Amino acid sequence: MKISHSWLKNYIDLDKTPEEISSILTSTGLEVESLEEKETIKGGLKGVVIGEVLTCEKHPDADKLSVTTVNVGTGEPLHIVCGAPNVAKGQKVLVATIGTKLYFGDQEIVIKKAKLRGQLSEGMICAEDELGLGDSHDGIMVLPDDAPIGTPAAEYFKIEKDYQYEIGLTPNRIDAASHFGVARDLAAYVNFHEKPIKANLPDVQDFKVDNNSLAIPVHVENAEACTRYSGLTISGIKVGPSPEWLQNRLRSIGLNPINNVVDITNFVLHEVGQPLHAFDADAIKGNKVIVKTLPENTPFVTLDGVERKLSANDLMICNESEPMCIAGVFGGLHSGVTEKTTKVFIESACFNPVYVRKTARRHDLHTDASFRFERGTDPNITIWALKRAALLIKEIAGGEISSEIVDIYPKPIEHFNVDLNLDRTCSLIGKSIPESEIEKILEGLEIKVLKKDGKTWNLAVPTYRVDVQREADVIEDILRIYGYNNIEINSKVNATLSYTKKPDSLQMQNVVSDYFTSNGFAEIMCNSLTKADYYKQLSTYPENNSVKILNPLSNELNVLRQTLLFGGLESIQRNTNYKNPDLKLYEFGNCYTYNPDVKSEKPLDSYSEHFGIGIWLTGMNAKEHWMTKPEKFNFFHLKGYVHAILNRFGYNIDELEASEAPNDIFHYGITYKMGKKILASFGSIKPTLLKQFDLKNDVFFAEIMWEPLIGKLAKSKIQYKELPKFPEVRRDLALLLDSNIKYEQVRDLAYKTEKKLLKRVNLFDVYQGKNIPEGKKSYAISFTLQDESKTLTDKQIDKVMKRLIDVYTKELNAQLR
């Protein structure tokens, strides 16, 4: 959530720097994630000046270009080639001179002297979207005739400097989702710690009804979904651009101005957190507003031009014959305010958060209004917001208030009544706070003490604090204003010693983390919520085995993950986009599965969860260096890390059952099993999966199951033996084999042939190419022999090697090289 420093100061008289305010807000729970110095238009229009087009002629070599001379007040006119269809002699225009920086999203363009089709161009005549002054690109921006030549655009448009706070608003603090809400929190803190102060709303006492020429009755058919509905009409308005102060207010928080009426509704929304909606009164057929739901699959075209099929549970704002707006979410295409509008109906309502949340998710529509309604707005501020908007419209767009305020509020919501026990308050906070200080904090929070009965106080919590309805909520509010840093940490440490043979899972996680970190890995923590689309067409992780979220935040977060894979791929995609393609990542995390075939009286029996380790390698293992050659990660790097972890937990790799990894996930890879339990799967990810994330480099992924991994430790016994007194002997063979023969076959056959003297088998070279027949490969293999009771003789060694050669020749059709 973005908050403007200069806007914020309209509601609280506070002589503090933006940095000091950031510190206060963070300490009260409104964490300031960033503080940036901003200009109401990016770049501040530096280098842009007002000019007059002196001449305008067609370009001799381009039909769509014009050659102009423009007076910018520097003496010599500038020669500028312009492609706008509306450029003409005598216009006052905005000129970006040589060296000016223009911004298009994140892209920066510097204006340079150039030749376009042979004609000199010494600047650029700009459209409003090229300067950030609007969205139009139909042609250049033409100013009024009285605009003074040579005046800097920043001065003409009154560009302001400001500071912008980016606040990480938690879902429970919707009361602070506005400038006044933030000012209110600031005031509560300063009132307790420094001096008496209060945040003040603008005065609306001048509001009065001018006439009753445009009364529009309202009928609320679904009172459960619409707690309160207020509205009024204004006629005789003139829709047009907003004044600069209003445009600058909206730009300061990243909003683009639209027109004066819509800008005012947005302004009030970000001022006090109350969403408003303006309807063109001429579009209200039958001169009646009806709040109701409509039949399933009723078509409705929203403001973005998309036709949507409504649910029977979508609350709609309708006229006598058709829907006009999805309540609390999005307006309709044909009822909004346009430049032709002369009469408006302004809506200020309070909608049921559950209805709005489900509708917004159902249609994937997320707006500033729905953000607030979903979390709960204050039903008792609708009238103030309506009056504030009406006064601003009269001031800026003219017109008359043409009806009494319609206010349908069948069940008024009073303050929340909470009992607070002072002893329990101090106990939960961990410090004894004097009663007078607690009362002062409550006063700053606008929580009234209705009655004191010894150590129990009866409180009235204002309705805008929808998250404070229990004693624990009040205590949390007291603590955050008192200051978390003011609670001393006791130096006493309590510990309980327990003896168990079961391995400590957290301790072993730290062992694994230390191993990966010391080998250059970075740990990631991905969201356990992911999107169901990842699991389409997968047999290893079928889509119907996903644990679905009933009220998902979005379609991107609608199921729980079945595997750690996709979170890592998202991390790799993000890092690659930021030019960091060489990655070694690992993650510990839970995965979740739903089995629809399980029939049980206990619903949870159908669900299961497992903990695992994910490992990802991609890009370069060794970068360019004068001492080493660049090297990409490959399958065997990953295999080495997996084997190291399995060995650390007591597994003998040769005893594991190995098979091919699932081919819907892996291009090639291995799955290790111990009995029926899968221990690990690893390999190269299929290109089709990588394509979904726009990844060009190979990605090598391993997933190790934690339960069987740590379970091995409980069964492992520490063993030792005396160091051998007699030497080892190594012999090497170079075998020419069919290319489909795997090293594991060679190794297993060796151990099967010589069980007593053979200690180790190692593949130290593989060769295919020149001088090797097609369909063949060469394995260079070492064999380590040892007799622990005596020194081996050449005769014994030769006998063993002959048996190995014979069995390789017979079983694998091998040839010695």
Side-chain angles (χ1 to χ4, degrees), residues 713-738:
L713 280 180
K715 302 174 184 177
S716 298
K717 294 181 179 179
I718 297 174
Q719 296 179 334
Y720 70 93
K721 63 180 179 179
E722 187 180 357
L723 289 172
K725 298 177 181 178
F726 302 97
E728 295 178 343
V729 176
R730 169 174 163 160
R731 291 290 185 270
D732 296 343
L733 291 179
L735 300 176
L736 188 64
L737 299 160
D738 292 339

Side-chain angles (χ1 to χ4, degrees), residues 311-383:
S311 162
N313 293 316
D314 292 335
L315 186 67
M316 303 298 296
I317 311 300
C318 308
N319 57 39
E320 199 170 52
S321 59
E322 61 187 7
M324 299 187 295
C325 173
I326 303 177
V329 180
F330 212 41
L333 182 62
H334 305 298
S335 62
V337 174
T338 68
E339 65 278 0
K340 297 178 181 179
T341 300
T342 59
K343 297 177 288 186
V344 291
F345 174 81
I346 307 295
E347 164 194 285
S348 180
C350 181
F351 299 114
N352 187 314
V354 176
Y355 274 79
V356 176
R357 188 183 308 122
K358 288 183 176 180
T359 294
R361 300 295 179 275
R362 191 179 295 121
H363 297 291
D364 197 21
L365 288 170
H366 307 284
T367 60
D368 285 339
S370 69
F371 177 83
R372 287 156 177 81
F373 280 128
E374 286 175 28
R375 290 157 177 79
T377 57
D378 180 10
N380 294 322
I381 202 174
T382 61
I383 299 298

Side-chain angles (χ1 to χ4, degrees), residues 542-601:
E543 187 181 6
N544 64 351
N545 282 8
S546 295
V547 179
K548 296 179 174 62
I549 306 301
L550 292 179
N551 279 318
L553 293 172
S554 70
N555 289 334
E556 304 294 310
L557 302 169
N558 55 0
V559 297
L560 289 170
R561 63 187 176 190
Q562 295 188 53
T563 171
L564 299 174
L565 170 63
F566 297 110
L569 291 180
E570 288 173 352
S571 299
I572 292 171
Q573 180 189 40
R574 181 173 177 82
N575 276 273
T576 301
N577 290 341
Y578 280 90
K579 308 302 180 185
N580 182 30
D582 307 320
L583 299 165
K584 299 169 75 173
L585 307 174
Y586 74 96
E587 180 186 15
F588 292 97
N590 283 310
C591 297
Y592 308 86
T593 307
Y594 169 67
N595 187 348
D597 297 329
V598 173
K599 307 299 180 185
S600 172
E601 293 181 359

